[in-house]
Amino acid sequence: MTSMSDLEKISANQEGFNLRARAHLQSSYYDVERFKQGHNMLRKLEQEELGDVRGRSLLELQCHIGVNSLSLARMGAQVTGTDISDEAIDIATGLAGELGLDAKFVQANLYDLPKVLDGEFDMVFTGYGTLSFLPDIHGWAQVAAGYVKPGGTLTIVEIHPILTLFDSVDGELRVARSLFESRDVHHEMSKSYADRIEDEVPVETHSIYGWRWTVEEVVNALVDAGLTIEHLREVPYDARQRLPLMVPDGDHNWRIPGDPIPLSFACVARR
Ligand SMILES: C[S@@+](CC[C@H](N)C(=O)[O-])C[C@H]1O[C@@H](n2cnc3c(N)ncnc32)[C@H](O)[C@@H]1O
């Protein structure tokens, strides 16, 4: 079998995320009913890193079904959200209409976004499971930086890549792979993520392709794209339970007892 091109993998991910977007309407992670009742879907970490968004123009890259973008709109930002999944963008647009929130959503492959979306924003934001679906981190940084106004910021809040190297075996962390040697990821999936592992939602079987990036590669890609790194932060908590040994911390986050490794990182870069 000939190997798949990155474009074919991106296209498979688009199909997979179309299936997942529909399933996520029932996911405890997205908790759409609670969101509709006014709950702010941004966790403390994103809120701390983004700061005051009132009156700011803001672009969220890979916004999925739009609940973060729409929470930012509720907080007073003028929001544009974008994603490759047409189903996710349809759901986001529907939620904005249903809730009377002023936000615009654009469907595009990240790398083709400049063909369909012009403009510069005070803030560009991306978070929680976005960079790992992108085969070219430098290409991503060029696109993302191109949307930041001079003086504006790009904020990333992401799953820490170190977490992806461990499995949990008998309640303990075990190093299962190398960050430097297993860069490409392929999973056949018939479930999608939820807040807790046991609440994962069933989804028609689909393929998901990923690429692991180190924090160094992400940061250097931003520097190469002409941004100045203002702030880098690593924290021992995560937005959802990714390994069975992770426990809720009572603050909408999950931790590994003893906080042995960073589980999320944030980076703010300025143009
Ligand atoms: C794990 S999801 C969620 C991220 C979202 N920020 C959140 O917190 O819900 C990743 C998203 O990235 C999108 N995506 C994957 N590859 C993409 C690409 N090449 N261009 C644009 N969006 C992409 C998927 O469609 C999906 O909605």
Side-chain angles (χ1 to χ4, degrees):
M1 191 184 126
T2 54
S3 61
M4 284 174 81
S5 68
D6 287 346
L7 218 51
E8 288 168 322
K9 291 178 181 176
I10 287 174
S11 174
N13 283 348
Q14 178 179 10
E15 279 176 41
F17 274 106
N18 276 342
L19 295 169
R20 288 169 155 222
R22 283 193 288 272
H24 286 163
L25 290 172
Q26 268 73 52
S27 160
S28 59
Y29 182 76
Y30 288 103
D31 207 346
V32 172
E33 285 315 311
R34 194 154 167 246
F35 163 70
K36 284 185 186 175
Q37 286 156 20
H39 180 70
N40 188 336
M41 301 305 286
L42 292 185
R43 289 173 172 74
K44 202 172 71 178
L45 183 58
E46 297 95 286
Q47 295 199 33
E48 286 170 358
E49 295 303 321
L50 286 165
D52 189 359
V53 300
R54 278 173 301 173
R56 319 291 300 281
S57 58
L58 188 152
L59 173 66
E60 185 185 3
L61 300 171
Q62 295 172 253
C63 66
H64 200 48
I65 60 172
V67 292
N68 289 337
S69 299
L70 293 171
S71 294
L72 288 159
R74 278 181 177 148
M75 290 163 73
Q78 296 145 21
V79 176
T80 302
T82 176
D83 199 280
I84 197 171
S85 160
D86 27 298
E87 286 285 343
I89 289 297
D90 282 353
I91 292 169
T93 307
L95 285 172
E98 181 183 339
L99 300 170
L101 293 168
D102 186 17
K104 171 179 158 187
F105 290 97
V106 179
Q107 186 275 331
N109 176 1
L110 181 283
Y111 298 105
D112 295 333
L113 191 58
K115 295 181 193 160
V116 294
L117 180 69
D118 289 329
E120 289 180 337
F121 296 79
D122 296 318
M123 308 176 96
V124 175
F125 169 60
T126 194
Y128 289 120
T130 55
L131 305 183
S132 59
F133 298 110
L134 301 176
D136 174 3
I137 202 71
H138 280 89
W140 162 78
Q142 294 291 337
V143 170
Y147 284 111
V148 183
K149 268 186 191 167
T153 54
L154 167 60
T155 301
I156 306 168
V157 174
E158 255 299 11
I159 306 159
H160 202 291
I162 214 164
L163 176 62
T164 64
L165 308 183
F166 292 92
D167 287 341
S168 97
V169 180
D170 300 330
E172 295 199 347
L173 278 184
R174 179 149 326 152
V175 179
R177 53 199 75 81
S178 156
L179 180 56
F180 299 99
E181 282 170 21
S182 52
R183 311 306 300 265
D184 292 11
V185 182
H186 172 217
H187 296 296
E188 286 293 310
M189 313 283 288
S190 52
K191 289 199 239 184
S192 191
Y193 52 89
D195 199 31
R196 295 189 314 166
I197 291 170
E198 68 180 48
D199 296 337
E200 285 182 347
V201 279
V203 190
E204 203 177 301
T205 305
H206 59 283
S207 277
I208 289 289
Y209 294 88
W211 293 266
R212 289 198 177 94
W213 302 110
T214 63
V215 173
E216 172 194 307
E217 286 167 324
V218 173
V219 167
N220 285 340
L222 295 176
V223 171
D224 291 347
L227 301 183
T228 301
I229 306 300
E230 253 186 14
H231 179 67
L232 185 62
R233 183 172 171 197
E234 295 176 310
V235 296
Y237 51 82
D238 189 353
R240 65 183 174 89
Q241 185 186 35
R242 287 174 215 276
L243 296 173
L245 53 62
M246 290 168 72
V247 294
D249 73 353
D251 202 11
H252 305 292
N253 281 310
W254 293 81
R255 304 176 94 108
I256 296 174
D259 293 339
I261 56 170
L263 300 184
S264 308
F265 76 95
C267 180
V268 179
R270 194 174 292 276
R271 180 160 161 207

